[in-house]
């Protein structure tokens, strides 16, 4: 089975930048889609962005469009999230996910990482 591990979270000031990584391992790794979700305190897990693994098509939530950039290195089985112009409302635990589709819905993803904390101070 696929295992996903996030890294790169931390504490940054509003307006700052952070880069998250999601490293995948397993016997086979051939998802159709990979995505980032986040969950703030007292909130539901929400969609951030997805990328199709082979084609590289991306789709961003309106809340992050123009500020965040998703990328992947298929040779390294690694996905990245470059976050710029960070806002306090971006704070939360960020999770990477992989699955047989590329959608904005949490339940559509099969494999999940354990999350990495991002805190943006005002």
């Amino acid at each position: 089975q696929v295992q996903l591990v996030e890294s790169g979270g931390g504490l940054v000031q509003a307006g700052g930048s952070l880069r998250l990584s999601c490293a995948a391992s397993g016997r086979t790794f051939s998802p159709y889609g990979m995505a980032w979700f986040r969950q703030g305190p007292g909130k539901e897990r929400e969609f951030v962005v997805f990328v199709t693994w082979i084609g590289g098509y991306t789709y961003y939530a309106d809340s992050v469009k123009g500020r965040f950039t998703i990328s992947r290195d298929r040779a390294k089985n690694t996905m990245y999230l470059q976050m710029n112009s960070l806002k306090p409302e971006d704070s939360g635990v960020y999770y990477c996910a992989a699955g047989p589709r590329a959608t904005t819905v949490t339940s559509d993803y099969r494999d999940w990482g354990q999350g990495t904390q991002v805190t943006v101070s005002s």
Side-chain angles (χ1 to χ4, degrees), residues 20 33-38 46-52 56-71 79-83 94-98 101-105 109 112:
L20 307 183
M34 292 194 69
W36 290 96
F37 290 80
R38 66 189 182 189
E46 68 173 352
F47 168 77
V48 178
V49 59
F50 72 63
V51 61
T52 61
Y57 174 80
T58 59
Y59 180 78
Y60 295 84
D62 288 342
S63 59
V64 306
K65 190 173 184 179
R67 299 187 298 119
F68 291 11
T69 304
I70 193 171
S71 61
M79 177 177 67
Y80 306 94
L81 183 65
Q82 178 67 46
M83 305 185 294
Y94 281 68
Y95 299 90
C96 64
R101 301 179 63 197
T103 78
T104 65
V105 180
Y109 290 85
W112 291 84

Side-chain angles (χ1 to χ4, degrees), residues 5-10 18-22 36-39 83 91-96 113-119:
V5 180
E6 303 95 337
S7 63
L18 208 58
R19 185 182 69 185
L20 307 183
S21 299
C22 173
W36 290 96
F37 290 80
R38 66 189 182 189
Q39 187 168 18
M83 305 185 294
S91 296
V93 179
Y94 281 68
Y95 299 90
C96 64
Q114 56 193 358
T116 185
Q117 177 71 47
V118 171
T119 303

